[in-house]
Amino acid sequence: MAHAETAHHAEATTTGLNHRKLLMWIFLGSDCMLFGALIATYMVYRGQSIVGPYPVDILNIPVTTISTFVLLCSSFAMVQALAATNRNNQRGIKIWLLATALLGFTFLGFQVYEFYTFSVVEGLFIGTNLFGSTFFTLTGFHGAHVTLGVVWLVSLFIVAFKGRLGPSTALDVELAGLYWHFVDIVWIVIFTLVYLIGGYDAGPVAAGVLTGPIPSVLPV
Amino acid sequence: MATTTGVLARPTSYSGVWSWLTTVDHKRIGVLYGATAFIFLLIAGLEAGVLRAQLARPNSTIVDGQTFNAMFTMHATTMIFMAIMPMSVAFFNFVVPLAIGARDVAFPRLNAFSYWVFLFGALLMHTSFLVGQIPDAGWFSYANLTSRTFSPEAGLDFWAIGLLVMGASSVAGALNFTVTIINMRAPGMSLWRMPVFIWMTLLTSILLVLAFPVITVGLIELTMDRNFGTNFFNTSAGGDPVLWQHLFWVFGHPEVYILILPAMGIVSEILPTFSKKPLFGYPVVIFSGIVIAIMGWAVWSHHMFTVGLGPVANSVFTITTMLIAVPTGVKIFNWIGTMWGGSLEFKTPMLFAIGFIALFIVGGLSGVSHAVSPSDFQQQDTYYIVAHIHYVLFGGSIFGIFAGIYYWFPKLTNRMLGEGLGKWHFWLMFIGMNITFFPMHFAGLDGMPRRIYTYPVGYGWEVYNLLSSLGYVLLFVGFVMFVHNIFHSLKKGQVAGHDPWDAPTLEWSISSPPPEYNFAEIPHVRGLDHYWIVKREARAAGQPVPGPEPHAAPGSVHMPSPSYWPLVTAFGVVWIGGGMLIDVGWDYIKFPISFVGGLIAFIGVVGWANEPASAPDAHHGGHEAGHGAAH
């Protein structure tokens, strides 16, 4: 934000925080509520599917562990990209931005493979049962976030190739990084809840939410 | 970044349609929001007219049940999402930068984007009238009435996608105002020196940012159930319609405060001005607002007392709902305390503000009566609820909004709104409102369900309904007078000057209408009610009261330039939604059409990012240099 720093006093901010950075943090709060509602839907319907396939039938925890590892590595690369930007290491900026984007892209590849196997091979489609509806919606929205992140990183890479990234524009990289780390953290929550905790659900089980049909007697 | 060095010129007078399409000026965007919202307010009012005409007499056949369902659904949806909310946003836009001593909002182009997405989204939902498949499942569209089985027509897709699009607009706008208020206050304006309206705007914005994603998820699940065969609310696959109710009301109850907090803020500005004394207990009003904004998240299930959540849930939500009445009641005492012992001036804004307090007390009391869950079992889905919601939203929000229009119109136009017509307007509204909505309490307690399109003779509901419909006529005449007043006063109204009300806040210290850049010199705020402090000191010292600063030389103030990228991006975003509504019998055509919208939006974003916020000349568009700095 060389722009704001060199410009008039009117552009100094009340808190000292940059406008765009503040915006990004508040937006991430908003996005938390989006994923919160999606995850809540998944958890409410956990174990409520009437017909299979059930999570234990198709979730491949080892494979998804690898893709999770890949996504976590991309966060490391993102940190390196920002560090390189702050040090004005032009070669480092390009390498680490590209590495982040490629790791994100690899994660998406795993997801495409997973969606393909689950649906075409194993027969779990979005309308098959509640597990299919909630699983594909939740992970699909996460995948859409990752895709947007990859597009953003590639755009930054193009900008970097023109030599326009450096300490004075480090905020452009930092904002993408905030978003990228957020998307990673959300995946850790999803991986834990859907795969590690819920991955062994077989058949309609009591998930502690509803243990039977809704009671028909109203409290009076 | 080559554009930053000089002092940048911006045309000081420009006109024509194109200037409105590309404007990023918060005052003009405020006018756009206000005018659009007012048109939708009139549309929703006419829809209410259809309802009242049908219900005036028993066994009426003016419209059939289907049309009636569509009318009450669109009346409520339009009033809430396309009239009251954007009206409040109009005030946010016009007032916030002026009252905090800023030259614009933090992200002027994002602000324009919010408006265009709102407009296109509202139009998208209203195209359902053109195809004759109007949403008809009520404003909270409970599952599973909304499934393809029970609502095969496309009306609910228009409803869901229209709301999704307008939700994007609301969140973008709310992000913008949150950052603006936190980050762009004039030097000296600490949080505890912010006018109450600014505080309420901040709280409303935070509620919007956090509440809208929840309804977004609900609407996405609804859209996917209807179009892609998912099972979220499909009971035969184990889905639970109650989930929709939770998602809707986790959003829906904060939404109630999103609708009322801005009006509370407006009233808190007007009462001190016309009582000639500061707001009584300013910190208490603010804390009450904060408590309402937090507690608003803990009361949603009071909309669901009859669902069967169990005695524990019902008791907890009864208690939280009664608790949230406390900070609301505290505010009412603060407002009364403000007027107590003041030298009251009963100008039209003050009348509407006092009307707000009176009517909101009635609405609040009936609200507490259905906070009690056993009592609510009697009231659920009756006209008693309809009476309650109209006392808080019409008597509350709309009266607050009218108070604000009469109060700030002189700042916007340098003309006073006619006092005579204004008083007629107020009394017609106040009496008409009570004749329309008060009998609904009795109709409801006598068992008249809401949302029935007609009723037989002999239940004792005839007289209440006839009264309600006659009251509508008074309201209608009141609105006609208001519209006449606006057009008349724009041309022939008394010239206002910069401070017609002897008001305490910053916006009254500059000329009317405010110049492009608002403040030639950013003021240094010396306390709460800054302008009162300045004026009082001048009077005490026997000096003339400082008037507005002289206008800056053209081009001497650095301002963001107009841009067409927000319009392009908004068009693309709404096209994505519109594509999902294409119905030619083959579902997969939706994706390529929506994808085109995505491409348009992407081009818009790229153009936006590559355009500096302030151009070195008046031309707008694809300047290649630099990343647009946000300010």
Side-chain angles (χ1 to χ4, degrees):
Chain A
M1 290 297 288
H3 191 155
E5 283 152 14
T6 56
H8 303 193
H9 57 92
E11 283 150 19
T13 67
T14 310
T15 58
L17 287 170
N18 177 276
H19 288 335
R20 287 197 290 156
K21 198 164 173 177
L22 190 58
L23 181 91
M24 179 52 77
W25 275 106
I26 302 168
F27 167 75
L28 294 182
S30 183
D31 226 17
C32 271
M33 294 299 287
L34 185 93
F35 278 108
L38 285 167
I39 291 170
T41 302
Y42 186 90
M43 295 310 282
V44 166
Y45 285 152
R46 189 184 153 209
Q48 301 293 317
S49 292
I50 293 168
V51 295
Y54 302 108
V56 72
D57 302 329
I58 57 171
L59 290 188
N60 189 336
I61 295 175
V63 168
T64 312
T65 307
I66 295 169
S67 76
T68 305
F69 181 70
V70 167
L71 197 62
L72 290 182
C73 289
S74 77
S75 261
F76 174 76
M78 189 70 236
V79 171
Q80 292 296 327
L82 180 58
T85 315
N86 280 325
R87 288 194 306 264
N88 204 15
N89 172 359
Q90 288 296 329
R91 190 157 160 269
I93 297 172
K94 287 172 214 150
I95 289 175
W96 288 113
L97 277 178
L98 190 64
T100 316
L102 282 177
L103 287 166
F105 197 75
T106 311
F107 174 83
L108 286 174
F110 271 98
Q111 195 168 34
V112 169
Y113 164 78
E114 197 179 35
F115 276 28
Y116 174 81
T117 327
F118 290 0
S119 55
V120 177
V121 181
E122 307 273 359
L124 180 77
F125 291 91
I126 199 162
T128 306
N129 56 18
L130 281 174
F131 172 56
S133 299
T134 52
F135 174 82
F136 285 119
T137 306
L138 174 56
T139 54
F141 264 86
H142 181 267
H145 274 72
V146 177
T147 309
L148 188 69
V150 170
V151 171
W152 192 349
L153 288 165
V154 170
S155 312
L156 279 176
F157 178 71
I158 294 169
V159 175
F161 224 82
K162 294 180 180 170
R164 293 219 299 255
L165 288 183
S168 65
T169 49
L171 189 74
D172 291 345
V173 181
E174 190 177 350
L175 292 179
L178 279 174
Y179 174 83
W180 191 256
H181 296 313
F182 169 78
V183 173
D184 265 19
I185 292 166
V186 169
W187 180 253
I188 293 172
V189 176
I190 294 174
F191 180 63
T192 309
L193 290 175
V194 175
Y195 291 82
L196 297 183
I197 295 176
Y200 300 97
D201 290 354
V205 293
V209 180
L210 279 176
T211 51
I214 301 166
S216 59
V217 181
L218 296 179
V220 184
Chain B
M1 296 293 152
T3 59
T4 59
T5 46
V7 173
L8 300 175
R10 191 181 185 191
T12 46
S13 67
Y14 40 78
S15 55
V17 175
W18 194 243
S19 74
W20 285 93
L21 291 176
T22 59
T23 186
V24 294
D25 179 352
H26 70 96
K27 298 178 286 295
R28 285 182 157 218
I29 294 172
V31 170
L32 287 172
Y33 260 114
T36 313
F38 193 74
I39 290 168
F40 281 114
L41 182 79
L42 295 181
I43 293 173
L46 293 177
E47 286 160 356
V50 175
L51 304 179
R52 281 326 319 168
Q54 165 71 10
L55 290 176
R57 307 296 307 141
N59 295 319
S60 185
T61 52
I62 297 171
V63 293
D64 58 6
Q66 175 60 37
T67 312
F68 191 86
N69 289 351
M71 286 298 121
F72 73 64
T73 301
M74 286 311 291
H75 165 69
T77 306
T78 308
M79 276 293 183
I80 289 167
F81 295 100
M82 289 164 255
I84 298 180
M85 279 176 67
M87 278 283 190
S88 303
V89 178
F91 285 109
F92 297 173
N93 265 289
F94 182 69
V95 177
V96 166
L98 296 177
I100 63 173
R103 287 191 174 140
D104 208 319
V105 293
F107 302 93
R109 288 176 295 176
L110 185 66
N111 201 20
F113 171 79
S114 302
Y115 170 71
W116 295 114
V117 172
F118 155 66
L119 175 67
F120 294 149
L123 292 178
L124 183 66
M125 195 189 283
H126 276 82
T127 46
S128 63
F129 282 77
L130 300 181
V131 297
Q133 302 185 8
I134 310 169
D136 57 0
W139 84 276
F140 40 78
S141 290
Y142 271 3
N144 50 2
L145 175 61
T146 51
S147 65
R148 274 266 177 235
T149 319
F150 300 116
S151 296
E153 290 197 328
L156 280 161
D157 296 316
F158 279 100
W159 185 81
I161 295 203
L163 284 188
L164 278 171
V165 167
M166 285 189 273
S169 155
S170 293
V171 171
L175 287 169
N176 208 342
F177 283 102
T178 313
V179 175
T180 303
I181 294 170
I182 293 177
N183 237 2
M184 290 187 74
R185 283 166 282 139
M189 181 172 277
S190 61
L191 286 176
W192 294 105
R193 287 177 178 177
M194 290 200 312
V196 178
F197 178 68
I198 305 302
W199 260 106
M200 295 307 133
T201 306
L202 178 62
L203 294 170
T204 306
S205 301
I206 293 171
L207 285 178
L208 273 166
V209 162
L210 297 177
F212 255 91
V214 182
I215 188 69
T216 300
V217 168
L219 291 167
I220 285 167
E221 290 174 357
L222 172 62
T223 306
M224 290 179 55
D225 266 10
R226 289 178 55 82
N227 295 288
F228 307 121
T230 51
N231 302 308
F232 290 106
F233 310 119
N234 174 7
T235 46
S236 61
D240 185 358
V242 178
L243 176 67
W244 167 265
Q245 300 188 20
H246 281 298
L247 289 174
F248 188 88
W249 290 116
V250 166
F251 149 79
H253 207 80
E255 168 72 12
V256 171
Y257 295 107
I258 289 166
L259 295 168
I260 197 67
L261 285 175
M264 288 177 164
I266 291 170
V267 167
S268 305
E269 296 301 309
I270 289 171
L271 289 170
T273 303
F274 293 95
S275 306
K276 304 285 167 223
K277 64 197 266 281
L279 187 69
F280 177 73
Y282 165 88
V284 180
V285 175
I286 305 300
F287 272 122
S288 300
I290 295 172
V291 171
I292 289 173
I294 294 170
M295 288 276 299
W297 293 91
V299 296
W300 81 90
S301 280
H302 68 211
H303 297 270
M304 301 163 62
F305 279 150
T306 58
V307 166
L309 300 177
V312 174
N314 282 9
S315 309
V316 167
F317 282 98
T318 292
I319 293 166
T320 55
T321 307
M322 292 177 133
L323 277 178
I324 203 170
V326 174
T328 316
V330 166
K331 282 191 174 194
I332 286 173
F333 284 107
N334 280 100
W335 292 324
I336 295 171
T338 305
M339 291 189 283
W340 190 271
S343 33
L344 306 185
E345 231 186 328
F346 293 102
K347 297 275 177 63
T348 313
M350 183 64 163
L351 289 179
F352 272 100
I354 297 171
F356 167 95
I357 299 175
L359 299 172
F360 192 74
I361 289 175
V362 177
L365 286 176
S366 62
V368 174
S369 82
H370 37 252
V372 185
S373 72
S375 157
D376 185 62
F377 269 68
Q378 187 66 30
Q379 296 156 6
Q380 172 89 23
D381 278 338
T382 68
Y383 260 84
Y384 192 84
I385 303 288
V386 181
H388 163 73
I389 198 177
H390 284 95
Y391 268 87
V392 290
L393 289 188
F394 195 103
S397 302
I398 302 245
F399 268 60
I401 283 166
F402 275 120
I405 292 175
Y406 280 94
Y407 185 59
W408 277 297
F409 188 84
K411 180 48 65 183
L412 175 66
T413 62
N414 198 23
R415 300 270 184 185
M416 307 295 284
L417 273 173
E419 272 293 310
L421 273 174
K423 292 209 164 82
W424 270 100
H425 175 214
F426 169 74
W427 285 109
L428 279 170
M429 290 267 290
F430 188 79
I431 296 167
M433 139 93 208
N434 280 293
I435 294 179
T436 308
F437 300 116
F438 204 75
M440 290 183 183
H441 289 105
F442 300 109
L445 291 177
D446 273 0
M448 180 172 169
R450 66 195 289 196
R451 296 177 173 161
I452 52 170
Y453 81 100
T454 191
Y455 51 94
V457 186
Y459 284 97
W461 301 339
E462 294 95 330
V463 66
Y464 302 134
N465 279 291
L466 189 59
L467 276 173
S468 290
S469 298
L470 291 175
Y472 177 87
V473 178
L474 292 187
L475 291 176
F476 188 89
V477 176
F479 269 93
V480 171
M481 285 195 166
F482 174 72
V483 174
H484 173 70
N485 198 355
I486 291 267
F487 284 107
H488 183 76
S489 303
L490 273 175
K491 283 201 203 102
K492 298 189 179 144
Q494 186 194 334
V495 173
H498 76 287
D499 184 22
W501 314 117
D502 187 19
T505 39
L506 273 178
E507 71 268 30
W508 302 100
S509 69
I510 55 174
S511 61
S512 301
E516 260 346 302
Y517 46 82
N518 300 349
F519 299 89
E521 194 67 42
I522 299 293
H524 192 92
V525 178
R526 294 172 47 204
L528 184 63
D529 300 335
H530 168 81
Y531 196 42
W532 270 358
I533 297 175
V534 172
K535 287 187 280 193
R536 195 166 55 227
E537 284 184 358
R539 284 185 193 121
Q543 290 164 349
V545 172
E549 52 189 3
H551 282 202
S556 67
V557 182
H558 173 90
M559 290 299 292
S561 301
S563 168
Y564 58 74
W565 294 118
L567 184 62
V568 173
T569 313
F571 186 71
V573 166
V574 181
W575 184 324
I576 298 176
M580 300 311 287
L581 292 167
I582 301 289
D583 184 10
V584 290
W586 186 53
D587 273 356
Y588 293 97
I589 196 70
K590 293 172 177 181
F591 296 107
I593 292 177
S594 284
F595 187 74
V596 173
L599 275 185
I600 296 174
F602 184 74
I603 291 167
V605 169
V606 170
W608 185 330
N610 283 308
E611 170 197 70
S614 301
D617 53 26
H619 299 290
H620 33 79
H623 296 282
E624 40 150 357
H627 193 289
H631 59 90

